Amino acid sequence: MSVEDTTRASGATLDEITALAKRRGFIFQSSEIYGGLAGLYDYGPLGALLKRNIKEAWWRDMVTARDDVVAFDSAVLMHPAVWKASGHVDAFVDRLVDCRVCKHRFRADHLEKPDVCPDCGSKNSFTEPRNFNLMLQTSLGPMEDSASRAYLRPETAQGIFVNFKNIYQTARKRPPFGVAQFGKAFRNEITPGNLTYRLREFEQAELEFFVPDDGADLKWFDHWVQARRKWYADYGVKPDRLRFYELSAEERPHYAKAGVDVEYLFPWGWGELESIAHRGTYDLDAHMRLSGKDLRFFDEGSKTHYTPLLIESSAGMDRTTLTMLVDAYEQEKSVDPNGKQTERVVLRFHPKIAPLQVAVFSLARNKPQLVARARSIEAALHEELRTQYDEGNIGQLYRRQDEIGTPFCVTVDYETLEDQSVTVRHRDSMRQDRVALDSLKEFLDERL
Ligand code: GAP
């Protein structure tokens, strides 16, 4: 990471994000009570909501709002030939070295100094690099032999490619059109890490967009780059922490005509969030070759067959969730209701993806009238919004909701019983408005 990157990097450290994620129930290490497993994480109640809201936003904008993208959902386990054709069996490898002294294992391309172990400092202690295939294996049926070998998919895209004909015929679509799916993918990463950034089990949101070879393919590529740029902007990702890195011909696979990596400035530096690629006819060709089946599109009008070109947008939903968490995190000085200077941590989530949208409080725990009124307000809002009821010390309640990124808090107090109004407190400005109960829903809707 360059000096410039350091100064612009997220204000929060990874340790702060990790601590908050655990403390507030966003992200837990998988199998924690047994010591955990590297590269595997679980989402707690708020993390699960955050990730779901992000996925819903992706699906809404990439599929539901368009008439040229259809939905798909393929199996995790596929015929092993799929991975032969795709190139994963032969080429989905990392170069790996072991330190002979401390026995630690590294990805050769991650080493800053190729002859010094970063863990124990030994010089010239590495073994020769060897290839390590990243696909996780399992076996199908009762026999564990090579005939029963199956792979856990390392990407969801292949499920779409092998079904291309089934999909276009049944959905009655003609290129240009796209196929989208969410799904788990598995990679036996040598060095998982940085919380949920590099996982061994993760979720992808992939869009495979097929276009005719009529000269408009690069326009379509650009269309998707712009659509994805708008998507991140719409959900509030800070523009100075996001970049669309254009891959040069040397950086792209030989068959790819164009490629852009969407990168975010994480606390440790720039990291890839999504890849957008013009993959030509590479994938369909590979499956046609190995399966012997014709996957070309048949154009009824011209009565000709052709292989469409492919534009792919592949985003990791765990990385996107981590991005939203890091991007939203801010630590700032504030003044509490008693006028005392304090520091607060606030997650400034976009209201559409915030786990909760409104918290409703009763000013006192032991006043049945206040509690009943607050609970009934929360129940009414709950029909359409993501809400939560709570009670007790208002300062502490605000602090908690700031830390989980809830845009609005509504407080029911003694005056409410007399004048039918409540206090609405804004997460970002901490401003407080007195709002009449009969216009509360409208007030919130306008701002959410
Ligand atoms: N079908 C294309 C494809 O899979 P990729 O660049 O290998 O392309 C796409 O992966 C996205 O999947 C990445 O940009 C990243 O967001 C996510 N991803 C890949 N490996 C990951 C891992 N080990 N942990 C978490 N997310 C990962």
Side-chain angles (χ1 to χ4, degrees):
M1 197 163 76
S2 72
V3 175
E4 189 197 328
D5 290 347
T6 313
T7 53
R8 288 175 55 222
S10 153
T13 64
L14 184 62
D15 284 348
E16 285 168 336
I17 300 283
T18 307
L20 177 111
K22 166 102 202 273
R23 182 167 79 243
R24 294 302 187 189
F26 284 93
I27 300 170
F28 306 128
Q29 195 175 22
S30 161
S31 322
E32 192 188 62
I33 61 166
Y34 292 104
L37 264 181
L40 297 163
Y41 283 91
D42 301 330
Y43 289 92
L46 293 174
L49 275 179
L50 176 64
K51 185 174 171 191
R52 169 174 285 268
N53 297 339
I54 291 169
K55 285 171 59 180
E56 277 175 6
W58 189 94
W59 195 261
R60 195 167 51 235
D61 298 334
M62 302 289 281
V63 187
T64 320
R66 303 183 60 113
D67 60 8
D68 58 356
V69 176
V70 297
F72 201 63
D73 189 350
S74 62
V76 166
L77 300 174
M78 300 177 74
H79 194 292
V82 169
W83 308 110
K84 186 75 189 160
S86 68
H88 285 86
V89 170
D90 297 321
F92 193 51
V93 292
D94 275 342
R95 304 278 283 164
L96 172 153
V97 294
D98 292 302
C99 171
R100 290 196 190 88
V101 178
C102 71
K103 309 290 178 213
H104 284 170
R105 186 163 282 181
F106 306 94
R107 257 174 73 171
D109 61 328
H110 280 182
L111 289 172
E112 277 183 22
K113 296 181 191 151
D115 53 356
V116 181
C117 174
D119 277 7
C120 70
S122 301
K123 282 200 169 187
N124 301 317
S125 63
F126 291 132
T127 55
E128 280 302 303
R130 59 183 189 283
N131 285 344
F132 173 76
N133 193 296
L134 296 186
M135 280 196 295
L136 282 149
Q137 293 183 18
T138 185
S139 52
L140 294 175
M143 304 292 281
E144 279 191 36
D145 56 22
S146 59
S148 69
R149 181 182 304 151
Y151 300 100
L152 272 60
R153 64 178 174 199
E155 61 173 13
T156 70
Q158 300 297 329
I160 295 176
F161 303 147
V162 300
N163 276 288
F164 175 67
K165 196 165 184 176
N166 286 336
I167 298 171
Y168 87 72
Q169 286 183 339
T170 54
R172 297 188 298 127
K173 288 284 181 200
R174 49 183 301 137
F177 81 97
V179 186
Q181 77 167 322
F182 287 130
K184 289 275 189 164
F186 302 82
R187 297 184 188 178
N188 199 1
E189 297 284 357
I190 300 165
T191 47
N194 287 339
L195 196 59
T196 50
Y197 180 77
R198 183 165 287 108
L199 296 168
R200 289 178 167 147
E201 173 182 338
F202 56 97
E203 199 162 356
Q204 289 185 317
E206 298 206 283
L207 169 81
E208 309 300 330
F209 199 80
F210 300 92
V211 302
D213 192 359
D214 60 1
D217 51 318
L218 284 173
K219 280 207 188 87
W220 275 112
F221 179 78
D222 195 49
H223 167 88
W224 282 108
V225 170
Q226 298 315 330
R228 297 303 297 151
R229 204 186 278 283
K230 180 171 181 309
W231 193 84
Y232 290 104
D234 283 352
Y235 295 97
V237 177
K238 295 185 176 72
D240 60 339
R241 291 193 197 160
L242 193 72
R243 72 180 182 195
F244 280 59
Y245 176 80
E246 214 168 297
L247 300 176
S248 65
E250 293 72 46
E251 291 168 313
R252 302 193 294 263
H254 64 91
Y255 49 80
K257 212 164 151 184
V260 164
D261 282 349
V262 184
E263 298 183 339
Y264 182 77
L265 187 53
F266 290 100
W268 60 89
W270 291 100
E272 178 193 313
L273 263 192
E274 167 172 352
S275 80
I276 308 172
H278 182 320
R279 298 179 56 89
T281 59
Y282 180 82
D283 304 282
L284 291 178
D285 282 346
H287 287 299
M288 286 197 277
R289 250 194 326 272
L290 193 65
S291 69
K293 299 286 180 335
D294 189 357
L295 295 177
R296 290 175 303 166
F297 178 75
F298 179 64
D299 189 307
E300 296 282 355
S302 61
K303 303 283 180 218
T304 54
H305 284 91
Y306 70 89
T307 309
L309 306 174
L310 175 73
I311 316 280
E312 175 184 75
S313 146
S314 175
M317 290 294 100
D318 305 278
R319 283 191 189 173
T320 308
T321 303
L322 181 61
T323 298
M324 296 301 189
L325 201 56
V326 170
D327 202 61
Y329 188 105
E330 268 170 41
Q331 208 162 2
E332 60 176 34
K333 300 225 180 309
S334 69
V335 181
D336 76 8
N338 306 320
K340 214 173 90 195
Q341 279 270 350
T342 54
E343 265 201 2
R344 70 164 184 160
V345 168
V346 54
L347 295 184
R348 297 187 193 276
F349 289 129
H350 187 286
K352 283 221 163 54
I353 61 164
L356 301 175
Q357 294 168 306
V358 186
V360 183
F361 306 143
S362 160
L363 186 63
R365 247 191 206 120
N366 50 3
K367 297 285 174 217
Q369 262 187 307
L370 291 189
V371 170
R373 178 58 72 90
R375 280 191 181 280
S376 82
I377 293 170
E378 193 266 336
L381 294 174
H382 194 76
E383 285 176 17
E384 283 181 39
L385 301 173
R386 298 185 292 276
T387 65
Q388 187 177 63
Y389 169 78
D390 213 339
E391 55 191 22
N393 176 307
I394 292 295
Q396 281 168 10
L397 294 177
Y398 284 160
R399 181 171 290 257
R400 176 171 187 281
Q401 296 299 330
D402 284 346
E403 274 203 18
I404 63 174
T406 309
F408 294 99
C409 294
V410 171
T411 302
V412 172
D413 53 26
Y414 295 101
E415 274 175 64
T416 307
L417 304 178
E418 283 157 26
D419 68 1
Q420 309 302 320
S421 68
V422 286
T423 299
V424 178
R425 187 256 196 185
H426 303 241
R427 174 196 69 196
D428 294 341
S429 62
M430 295 190 286
R431 205 183 78 204
Q432 302 195 3
D433 289 321
R434 200 71 193 170
V435 178
L437 265 179
D438 56 11
S439 59
L440 176 64
K441 179 68 175 29
E442 202 185 322
F443 180 95
L444 294 169
D445 281 345
E446 271 172 20
R447 290 159 179 82
L448 291 168

